[in-house]
Amino acid sequence: MSDDAPGDPALLPAELTRVPSSARVWNYWLGGKDYYAVDRDAGDTVAASYPQIVTLARQSRQFLIRAVRTLAGELGVRQFLDIGTGLPTMLNTHEVAQAIAPDCRVVYVDNDPIVLAHARVLLANTTAEGRTSYVDADVHDPERILAEAREILDFDRPIAVMFLGMLGYVADFDEAKSIATRVMDEVAPGSYLLVRDNTDSGDGVREAADNYAKSGVDPYHLRTVAQLGEYFAGLDLVEPGVVPVEQWRPGAVELGATHAEHTGDHGGLGRKP
Ligand SMILES: C[S@@+](CC[C@H](N)C(=O)[O-])C[C@H]1O[C@@H](n2cnc3c(N)ncnc32)[C@H](O)[C@@H]1O
């Protein structure tokens, strides 16, 4: 949990800087500053065959912002379980949620040691009324995630469970579904599932996924749009359903993007009845 987080990422073992990590490559595409040369090289290799990746990363952050605003605002959710957090960047989940309702509680989950090292940055920016915490866990271990999240979140009240750019790191699709289902089984009625992942939209993105895996990053498994829809089985899909992220309740364009572009990245939100 957060209290154990090491404070200074510079003190992490040097080996971590020799192999690219998905969190740091993602940070590079997002325009952040928390990556090493090895991550930049991996990111550039992917971008060479799939230049939309930079737009995809930035549009995905806008999707996160719009979805969390919808959840905390219109839908009145006060608890968030963000699994596969990534490195802190601008407008993280707790900042977006707590700007709308300062009492929001947010639990972040990731298995990357450098994300863990940055957890204090996330925690420092939380509101006085709200609470933000961090669980060091692998998505393949939902029991641990649930047990640790229960220390912070009230499972008798609605929780927004978020898997953004995350379930593609679970190689087996049935396992990815069962992880999402396991977590949703435990949360109260009126909870929500928010999922976003890139889809298998052609040769370019498949080649990019191959190059990504060859660079040494954990492989990312492209799914079909229909498969993303399967994550919401038994839930009531919130309009407009599972759609390209730029079409999900489009709003003001933020974070330096100038226009919406279709990349294959899809997202959706479902409510547990
Ligand atoms: C592409 S980033 C997405 C970050 C953030 N959710 C977003 O949408 O901006 C994927 C994140 O998932 C995390 N991740 C990858 N595999 C994981 C696993 N097996 N267990 C937990 N987290 C994992 C990575 O460390 C990284 O932070």
Side-chain angles (χ1 to χ4, degrees):
M1 297 287 292
S2 56
D3 287 342
D4 301 320
D8 184 354
L11 300 178
L12 290 165
E15 307 86 79
L16 288 176
T17 67
R18 293 194 197 111
V19 180
S21 91
S22 61
R24 298 191 317 250
V25 175
W26 186 246
N27 185 265
Y28 172 62
W29 288 327
L30 267 178
K33 55 182 174 41
D34 296 309
Y35 58 83
Y36 299 113
V38 71
D39 307 301
R40 185 196 57 220
D41 292 348
D44 286 345
T45 304
V46 170
S49 56
Y50 186 62
Q52 301 101 307
I53 189 67
V54 172
T55 303
L56 183 154
R58 295 177 190 192
Q59 288 189 164
S60 82
R61 178 57 48 158
Q62 294 168 37
F63 170 76
L64 179 155
I65 294 166
R66 294 198 305 277
V68 172
R69 281 185 185 151
T70 300
L71 284 158
E74 181 186 326
L75 302 174
V77 176
R78 294 290 175 268
Q79 306 190 96
F80 294 81
L81 179 56
D82 183 350
I83 303 173
T85 310
L87 286 156
T89 173
M90 62 292 273
L91 294 180
N92 303 292
T93 298
H94 72 290
E95 290 158 334
V96 178
Q98 291 173 351
I100 290 180
D103 58 333
C104 281
R105 291 184 171 201
V106 180
V107 171
Y108 290 114
V109 180
D110 209 286
N111 71 340
D112 185 307
I114 297 192
V115 174
L116 177 62
H118 280 80
R120 285 192 193 283
V121 178
L122 287 172
L123 299 172
N125 294 336
T126 201
T127 59
E129 302 91 326
R131 211 163 156 193
T132 308
S133 194
Y134 186 91
V135 173
D136 176 16
D138 194 295
V139 72
H140 297 88
D141 189 358
E143 302 311 324
R144 174 166 178 185
I145 292 172
L146 288 165
E148 299 222 25
R150 278 185 186 283
E151 292 179 18
I152 303 291
L153 305 178
D154 178 355
F155 275 62
D156 292 328
R157 293 173 45 227
I159 296 173
V161 177
M162 304 167 56
F163 293 99
L164 301 185
M166 166 78 271
L167 291 170
Y169 288 99
V170 179
D172 182 73
F173 176 59
D174 287 335
E175 185 177 7
K177 275 195 297 186
S178 87
I179 290 168
T181 303
R182 178 72 194 102
V183 178
M184 292 310 293
D185 278 350
E186 285 296 302
V187 295
S191 292
Y192 289 87
L193 173 67
L194 180 67
V195 173
R196 174 194 67 72
D197 262 308
N198 200 6
T199 57
D200 187 349
S201 55
D203 291 345
V205 72
R206 280 196 286 273
E207 186 184 338
D210 284 348
N211 287 336
Y212 186 67
K214 280 180 198 153
S215 75
V217 189
D218 285 344
Y220 180 79
H221 302 272
L222 296 164
R223 307 251 139 87
T224 64
V225 179
Q227 284 177 318
L228 295 195
E230 288 184 43
Y231 290 135
F232 297 95
L235 306 179
D236 299 328
L237 265 180
V238 173
E239 285 296 321
V242 178
V243 294
V245 291
E246 70 281 4
Q247 292 171 23
W248 198 92
R249 300 190 176 208
V253 175
E254 297 179 63
L255 305 179
T258 54
H259 65 286
E261 182 182 325
H262 182 55
T263 61
D265 204 27
H266 282 66
L269 178 66
R271 182 180 186 278
K272 180 171 175 175

